[in-house]
Amino acid sequence: ALCVSEGASSSGGTCRVCVALRGSKPLRLVLYELSAPSGGGRAGAAAGGRRSLGLGSGLLRQGGGGQRWLPYKSLLTPEPALVLAWGAEEICVGYAAQYSLVHDATGDVVELLPGEAGVNPVLLHLPGCEEVLVATGRVATFVDLRSAGAAARSPLAWEAPPLALALS
């Protein structure tokens, strides 16, 4: 599973990527940031040009501009992460039987919608707001990332559990 921080789409924002590596021991999420073109330390992404990344042998590779993806944090997980969505400062993680919210700065974990996760976790971060859409079976609930609880919006219902969610 892989997700990109919202800052990657805003001008001047820091581009960060979270990756759940398959088969890693211990199980963990690895957070990466795009280095400055000069190669020095953690820094925001340079303006202009296209950024591309590829994942091979468990390492992020950068294309063009002299920038590199540098790991800056590793967060342990209780089981393999199947799906990820990155809000402002939180990463929503879908496991086989539960959803959690992980604060990227502190590593604090909060369980989302206890007892409601389905077999196929599906998430969608809603850009521009502090919410994520969390599918639990045939119902998807809008979750407020600040409170880690259901948002004021009405849930969505489908005839069958969704396999994926997308936003245009």
Side-chain angles (χ1 to χ4, degrees):
L2 178 137
C3 66
V4 179
S5 68
E6 191 171 276
S9 62
S10 57
S11 61
T14 300
C15 186
R16 297 181 297 171
V17 173
C18 178
V19 179
L21 301 174
R22 287 183 208 212
S24 68
K25 299 290 181 197
L27 298 171
R28 66 188 190 277
L29 303 177
V30 181
L31 281 59
Y32 293 85
E33 275 189 342
L34 195 56
S35 71
S38 63
R42 289 177 61 194
R50 291 186 154 226
R51 293 179 288 227
S52 62
L53 61 94
L55 188 60
S57 304
L59 300 172
L60 283 173
R61 305 202 190 309
Q62 173 63 23
Q67 298 173 312
R68 296 182 314 144
W69 291 100
L70 299 174
Y72 72 93
K73 184 176 287 191
S74 216
L75 302 169
L76 298 179
T77 63
E79 58 185 288
L82 302 177
V83 65
L84 301 168
W86 202 327
E89 296 180 4
E90 297 84 16
I91 302 164
C92 192
V93 184
Y95 302 107
Q98 72 178 29
Y99 291 98
S100 294
L101 195 61
V102 180
H103 192 280
D104 67 348
T106 65
D108 292 341
V109 178
V110 175
E111 187 177 355
L112 294 179
L113 307 173
E116 293 189 30
V119 174
N120 181 35
V122 180
L123 299 170
L124 176 66
H125 176 252
L126 304 174
C129 69
E130 292 291 317
E131 292 180 1
V132 66
L133 189 58
V134 177
T136 54
R138 297 182 326 164
V139 176
T141 304
F142 292 91
V143 174
D144 184 324
L145 295 174
R146 291 176 301 262
S147 69
R153 301 177 193 230
S154 297
L156 301 174
W158 294 280
E159 293 178 17
L163 296 175
L165 297 170
L167 183 66
S168 71

